[in-house]
Amino acid sequence: MIRLDGISKQHGRQILFMDASCAVFRGEKIGLVGPNGAGKSTIFRLVMKEEQPDGGMVAIDKGTTIGYFSQDTGDMKGMSVVDATLAGAGPVSEAGHKMRILEAQLADPDMLDQMEQLVEAFGEAQARFEELGGYALDAQAREILAGLGFSQESMDGDVGALSGGWKMRVALARILLMRPDAMLLDEPTNHLDIESIIWLEAFLKNYDGALILTSHDREFMNRIVSKIVEIDGGELTIFGGNYEYYVKQRALLDVQAQSAVDRQEAMLAKEEAFIARFKARASHAAQVQSRVKKLEKIERLEPPKRAKRLRFDFPDSPRSGDDVAKLEGVKKAFGKKVIYDGMDLLIRRGERWCVMGVNGAGKSTLLKLIVGESHADDGKVAVGASVKMGYFAQHAMELLKPEDSVWESLVSKFPKASVGSLRTLAGTFGFPGDDIEKPCRILSGGEKARLVLAQMLYEPPNFLVLDEPTNHLDIGTKEMLVEALASYEGTMLFVSHDRRFLSQLSNRVLELTAPEDPKDPSPPSVRVYGGGYAEYVNETGHEAPGIHA
């Protein structure tokens, strides 16, 4: 369906591809991997003809329809969520939009004098909508939007009033509704919660077209793709299998490549030693010249490129008391919506609680109550003796000063720290060398998250409260964070949609299950599981509340 034949591409001085080739066949599900800036998004733009290769060609089979989801949603103002989703479907969306305008006009008392014309126009629009399969498409759009976390009420609301993350979901829903012959998905899980990610997995598994995706969610990649295309050093390398298989194969190939380099270096050292020993002896002149010529013709092997592995080791934190946080009879409501009513919870030293629950169940509210950003309407929230708390909030990145550089952000937080220790900290969290001079206003979401985590973990608290800490982080940084937190000796309470993070770090699960009817004012039911996320999945038979295996 899609072929890249000997493509070359350069951005400024950076060479992205040199005579690179690969093909995508119908039904294949491919994961694109490579370091940041390697050219993953450029591949998508080349396929979409948004960019042209400097050499070679991109060929697409005639009649192939392609849907492309990127992180740029564009302007969606003035439409309902459903209309914006249907907008990707062409003429049917125009007919549906016209029908909804006429519906509103028919209900407008000020337009009674035009009722006859409006009824006629509505009948024509409705007939056209039905002719194009609009009613079936509308139902499909609503099913997809529900899968991505929208309530029925929000589907009819103005898309322009949504946050950037929810607009991303609308843009993704539009592509999924298209069901094109090929889908290009650039980080589709970035703004999704765990329930929506699991729903999307099921959708993509049943999708029979070609799929090319990038994702920082390792588990998502493992479950979806059956082929990996690695972009590195201007080359495309194909691996059959999922992401886990790719990691193992890449490590094996690196070991083999390093062994070949070591063997060649040993051989070269031996030959060079012979030449140095006998170059002054006339009796060995012919042998020396022969070996010199032999060495000149040998193509020197390059050692395998290895991405720099980030590693962070926690300094010792002060020991807290045994009871770290305690909620007794806590009630919390927002207007008529009751979040908690009589909530009891005890968090003990060394426990690692993950909080599970659908949108609106009160996960972030619980964290805010414990850290003191919100206050209970009734009941008691107490933090134990000698507790030093660190809180990563979803809005934490917005608190960085745009005009400050990475370095200034660290120095202002730790004015007494040595230059060397702060440079090490910056490098550990992905800001080596001159990257520390970057102003915060130009940092990506992932870079901002790394900077906030660096500020929080340099002088580690003994109680970490983390609200979606892995959002926007690439796989390498997530691995570093999981590895670091696995050796952390303090207490943790966290919300995350990354299943690897959940399974590796939790030893307690708090499940909040909201009523199925969104109009039901009852608070979420609270259930505690005395094991980690893996045990929770085994016991409940589902990976998240409301999702059944």
Side-chain angles (χ1 to χ4, degrees):
M1 294 177 70
I2 301 170
R3 294 180 306 282
L4 278 65
D5 294 332
I7 61 165
S8 299
K9 185 67 181 177
Q10 188 168 339
H11 284 168
R13 294 182 179 180
Q14 184 185 11
I15 297 172
L16 294 176
F17 306 110
M18 295 184 296
D19 195 28
S21 299
C22 75
V24 181
F25 300 100
R26 186 174 298 279
E28 281 194 321
K29 293 180 170 63
I30 297 172
L32 277 184
V33 303
N36 288 336
K40 297 188 291 293
S41 295
T42 301
I43 289 277
F44 289 152
R45 290 194 291 270
L46 288 170
V47 172
M48 296 303 297
K49 308 296 185 184
E50 292 178 3
E51 290 189 33
Q52 298 298 320
D54 300 330
M57 65 178 291
V58 178
I60 300 169
D61 287 353
K62 190 174 181 181
T64 299
T65 55
I66 299 176
Y68 174 35
F69 171 76
S70 70
Q71 297 297 303
D72 182 13
T73 60
D75 190 14
M76 296 183 187
K77 291 179 183 176
M79 291 187 280
S80 71
V81 169
V82 170
D83 280 345
T85 304
L86 289 168
V92 70
S93 67
E94 296 169 18
H97 186 57
K98 185 176 181 180
M99 212 167 70
R100 286 185 177 85
I101 291 173
L102 289 166
E103 279 177 346
Q105 290 175 340
L106 284 167
D108 188 348
D110 294 335
M111 303 195 75
L112 281 173
D113 57 335
Q114 301 177 41
M115 193 58 63
E116 190 175 330
Q117 299 96 307
L118 289 173
V119 169
E120 184 179 345
F122 180 78
E124 291 173 359
Q126 189 177 40
R128 178 63 175 155
F129 187 69
E130 191 169 357
E131 178 190 345
L132 293 168
Y135 285 110
L137 207 60
D138 186 271
Q140 289 170 23
R142 289 178 182 275
E143 184 181 344
I144 289 169
L145 288 167
L148 294 176
F150 287 90
S151 66
Q152 290 298 322
E153 185 181 2
S154 65
M155 292 178 199
D156 295 310
D158 182 3
V159 72
L162 298 177
S163 66
W166 284 95
K167 284 180 181 175
M168 288 282 187
R169 297 190 192 208
V170 176
L172 178 58
R174 182 184 293 184
I175 303 300
L176 301 181
L177 181 66
M178 280 175 63
R179 289 194 85 97
D181 298 322
M183 276 198 280
L184 315 180
L185 304 182
D186 193 2
E187 298 293 347
T189 61
N190 260 7
H191 296 275
L192 301 184
D193 53 36
I194 189 169
E195 294 81 16
S196 299
I197 291 171
I198 293 166
W199 177 89
L200 181 60
E201 279 176 5
F203 184 97
L204 294 177
K205 283 176 183 176
N206 292 322
Y207 169 64
D208 56 8
L211 173 67
I212 311 174
L213 69 85
T214 64
S215 178
H216 291 157
D217 188 322
R218 182 170 181 157
E219 190 62 34
F220 181 77
M221 288 270 275
N222 276 333
R223 297 185 186 201
I224 298 297
V225 306
S226 54
K227 185 175 174 180
I228 295 287
V229 175
E230 179 192 64
I231 308 172
D232 197 13
E235 297 179 352
L236 300 178
T237 307
I238 313 296
F239 295 82
N242 64 9
Y243 185 82
E244 209 72 48
Y245 177 80
Y246 156 73
V247 170
K248 292 174 183 175
Q249 286 298 110
R250 169 43 65 204
L252 182 61
L253 289 175
D254 285 348
V255 169
Q256 292 171 346
Q258 187 61 54
S259 296
V261 169
D262 292 343
R263 287 195 300 271
Q264 187 185 68
E265 287 180 349
M267 180 273 290
L268 292 173
K270 185 178 178 181
E271 294 295 315
E272 286 166 356
F274 179 90
I275 292 167
R277 182 178 178 187
F278 295 109
K279 66 181 178 181
R281 299 188 187 183
S283 59
H284 288 76
Q287 288 175 284
V288 168
Q289 284 303 312
S290 173
R291 296 195 182 198
V292 168
K293 289 178 181 178
K294 175 184 171 184
L295 291 187
E296 288 173 350
K297 292 177 181 177
I298 289 176
E299 185 176 342
R300 305 296 173 102
L301 298 176
E302 293 277 340
K305 300 185 189 77
R306 290 191 180 91
K308 187 175 179 183
R309 180 172 167 78
L310 299 175
R311 180 176 175 82
F312 178 76
D313 295 313
F314 273 96
D316 292 334
S317 57
R319 181 187 172 107
S320 70
D322 289 337
D323 290 353
V324 174
K326 190 173 185 179
L327 280 71
E328 292 180 289
V330 166
K331 181 174 181 179
K332 182 66 180 177
F334 295 101
K336 293 182 179 179
K337 185 173 176 59
V338 179
I339 306 297
Y340 299 115
D341 191 4
M343 168 82 158
D344 293 322
L345 178 68
L346 175 62
I347 299 174
R348 305 269 294 170
R349 182 171 55 83
E351 291 180 337
R352 297 157 173 261
W353 287 83
C354 70
V355 185
M356 308 292 298
V358 297
N359 280 327
K363 301 187 297 293
S364 294
T365 301
L366 173 63
L367 271 55
K368 288 176 181 176
L369 286 169
I370 288 175
V371 302
E373 277 205 358
S374 183
H375 300 285
D377 301 330
D378 198 6
K380 183 179 179 184
V381 179
V383 174
S386 304
V387 170
K388 180 185 177 186
M389 196 181 304
Y391 177 43
F392 182 96
Q394 289 188 30
H395 64 271
M397 298 178 289
E398 299 168 14
L399 302 179
L400 295 171
K401 294 181 180 177
E403 67 278 5
D404 280 2
S405 67
V406 170
W407 180 249
E408 288 166 339
S409 297
L410 293 175
V411 170
S412 63
K413 185 80 173 177
F414 309 108
K416 296 182 180 179
S418 68
V419 170
S421 67
L422 289 186
R423 279 195 170 273
T424 300
L425 178 71
T428 296
F429 281 86
F431 299 103
D434 293 340
D435 282 1
I436 60 173
E437 301 302 331
K438 285 183 177 179
C440 291
R441 68 174 181 275
I442 70 165
L443 297 181
S444 67
E447 288 173 322
K448 287 178 180 177
R450 293 203 308 267
L451 178 54
V452 172
L453 286 166
Q455 290 178 329
M456 188 175 72
L457 300 179
Y458 179 63
E459 293 178 350
N462 51 32
F463 182 31
L464 286 175
V465 180
L466 310 173
D467 196 357
E468 299 286 8
T470 59
N471 275 4
H472 307 291
L473 296 184
D474 59 42
I475 288 178
T477 309
K478 283 185 186 180
E479 292 293 322
M480 179 272 282
L481 188 59
V482 167
E483 189 177 303
L485 292 175
S487 62
Y488 170 65
E489 294 182 353
T491 307
M492 289 174 59
L493 174 69
F494 61 90
V495 174
S496 177
H497 64 235
D498 188 288
R499 283 160 290 180
R500 186 173 177 83
F501 192 89
L502 290 167
S503 60
Q504 294 288 312
L505 296 176
S506 61
N507 59 24
R508 295 286 188 280
V509 176
L510 179 70
E511 182 187 59
L512 305 172
T513 308
E516 290 188 14
D517 182 357
K519 294 180 181 178
D520 187 342
S522 304
S525 60
V526 179
R527 186 172 178 186
V528 169
Y529 294 83
Y533 178 72
E535 289 81 8
Y536 164 80
V537 173
N538 287 334
E539 184 174 339
T540 63
H542 58 241
E543 294 184 288
I547 300 291
H548 300 286

